[in-house]
Structure formats: C-alpha cells, structure tokens
Amino acid sequence: MFIAFAGNKAVSQTADFSINIVQGCVPLSGVNFTDISTGGTVISRNWNLGNGTIINNGAATVGTNYLTAGTFNVTLTATFTGGIVRTVTKNVQVHPKPVAAFISNDTAGCITHNAAFQDLSTTSTGTINNWQWDLGAGGSTIQNPTFNYTNPGTYQVSLIVRNSWGCSSDAASKPAYIKVFNSPTASFTSSVNSSCDSPFVVQFNNTTTGAGPITYEWNFGDGSPLSTLVNPSHTYTAYGGDRVRL
C-alpha cells in the first residue's frame, strides 16, 4: 500500500463515494454518486453503475436511473496522484412494484346487489400489505371486500396495492365491471278471458317493466308445459277456470 505523510501522520489513499438514494421502488430515478475519496488527489475516476452504465474518466458526481428491480453493485475505481489505484463497491437496492389484479363472481344482479371481490395481486419480493379499492359507489381497504350496490347502473372497479417495501402498483381497473338492474315488475294482458268454445286460443301480451336482460316463465294453469316466450299464445282444451302466472 502506498502511504503518504502529512507532517508526522501517515495518510493512506482510500476510495469512497456517497449515494443520495440507496434504495427505493422501481423505477428508481435520480440516483447520484459522489466521490468522497480521501488521502490524496484523485486524477481519474472510472464508474460502473451496475445497470450497464460504465463511465470511464468520469466526473466526481455521476447519476443514473434504475428501471428494473434488483440489487445493483456500484463500483468506483479511483486513481490518485502517483498512479495509486483504489476500488470500492456499494449497493443500490431497487424493490419491485406489485401487480394489482382482482376478480368478482358477482358482476351482475338486481338491487340490492351484493358483490364479493377477490384480490389476486402479486409481488415478486416482499408481501402485499395495503389495498385501496374504488368500487364505483364506495371504497374499501380490506383485502377481499364485499359491497352492497343500492342503485341501478354500471360501475367501474379499481384496485391499487402496496407491498412491504412501500411500493405501489399501477391501478388495475375494469370499466363497467359491475352491472346492477332494477328488479322487473311482471305484468301481462290477454286477448280473451273466457269462452264457451273448447278448444280456444288465448294470446298473452307481456307488459313487464324493468331493465334487461329479462327471462320469462309462463304457467298457463292447466298442467301444460311451461313457456319461456315473451308473448306466447296458448290453447285451452278443457272447461273450467285456470290461473295464469308469469
């Protein structure tokens, strides 16, 4: 080792540098490295910033951005007056962003509609410990919330999660994901209510109101098969009274 003497005190050349941001979430930008070597005059600096950036004969302060997660080894090779070369390596830790994802098996229904949501978010390191739900008509901070929709409409649902490194995900959003309908009101009219003839045909006119999609089930009251038509007709063949239900 080369030893310089200042007065009666020996001084050795030591390469060193400071880092303004030693860890953070991806993308980690504005990371600067400043040469703080001691023991002499540095006449040349070669930097390897660990992400493919190599700066030969660089300035005393250099910087870069880290666009991927990982541990990056940053090396300064300092050449002092007299040709003495010293090297130092330090680390920058870049944590991953989690990926938000979710699903619901209750995406459509009539008011009041109770929808359950399942968090499917992932993070490559650390754990997810924070959930921010926008359910379209309210919010939640629990992992797997349920929500009652009391008004008809279509609702966008979004989720942002944060991991134990403090890194937040991009928002996972599903437009018009929850569809809530008014309950239909069943009603109908018939072309005729009675006849002295047998058989006779009755045409039923569906006057049901309410938002779709709506399916129908007709019971003509005489033991015949049910109908799912919107406006069915039916032939009655026996005398008597029959109760029709939609």
Side-chain angles (χ1 to χ4, degrees):
M1 176 182 292
F2 179 82
I3 304 294
F5 288 88
N8 294 322
K9 185 182 294 184
V11 179
S12 62
Q13 286 78 11
T14 302
D16 196 8
F17 61 91
S18 63
I19 310 173
N20 67 325
I21 306 173
V22 297
Q23 65 175 329
C25 300
V26 65
L28 185 62
S29 59
V31 183
N32 295 323
F33 309 93
T34 300
D35 179 13
I36 55 172
S37 300
T38 59
T41 301
V42 177
I43 60 173
S44 176
R45 302 171 184 88
N46 294 334
W47 296 92
N48 185 331
L49 304 185
N51 60 351
T53 299
I54 297 175
I55 306 172
N56 292 321
N57 198 25
T61 298
V62 297
T64 192
N65 302 320
Y66 294 94
L67 305 181
T68 58
T71 300
F72 298 89
N73 297 321
V74 179
T75 299
L76 168 63
T77 301
T79 302
F80 292 82
T81 302
I84 304 302
V85 177
R86 296 286 182 264
T87 300
V88 60
T89 298
K90 295 183 179 181
N91 296 328
V92 174
Q93 184 71 47
V94 183
H95 302 298
K97 290 199 304 184
V99 178
F102 64 90
I103 193 172
S104 175
N105 293 326
D106 310 303
T107 59
C110 298
I111 56 172
T112 297
H113 177 57
N114 181 262
F117 299 91
Q118 181 183 1
D119 170 45
L120 300 177
S121 304
T122 57
T123 182
S124 59
T125 65
T127 58
I128 295 174
N129 57 13
N130 184 274
W131 297 264
Q132 297 292 329
W133 292 89
D134 181 349
L135 302 173
S140 178
T141 58
I142 67 174
Q143 182 177 6
N144 298 302
T146 59
F147 190 79
N148 288 328
Y149 292 88
T150 58
N151 293 299
T154 57
Y155 297 89
Q156 174 173 296
V157 178
S158 300
L159 172 64
I160 296 174
V161 297
R162 188 167 66 244
N163 63 21
S164 51
W165 301 116
C167 304
S168 295
S169 69
D170 296 327
S173 296
K174 296 184 179 183
Y177 188 54
I178 302 297
K179 300 177 177 62
V180 182
F181 305 99
N182 279 316
S183 296
T185 301
S187 63
F188 63 91
T189 61
S190 60
S191 60
V192 61
N193 291 329
S194 62
S195 176
C196 295
D197 299 324
S198 179
F200 78 102
V201 178
V202 179
Q203 177 66 47
F204 294 96
N205 178 39
N206 191 335
T207 57
T208 297
T209 58
I214 299 176
T215 59
Y216 305 93
E217 181 181 279
W218 295 85
N219 186 328
F220 299 113
D222 59 354
S224 60
L226 302 178
S227 174
T228 58
L229 298 176
V230 178
N231 298 297
S233 62
H234 185 69
T235 300
Y236 288 90
T237 60
Y239 293 105
D242 297 300
R243 183 183 182 186
V244 181
R245 179 178 295 172
L246 168 62

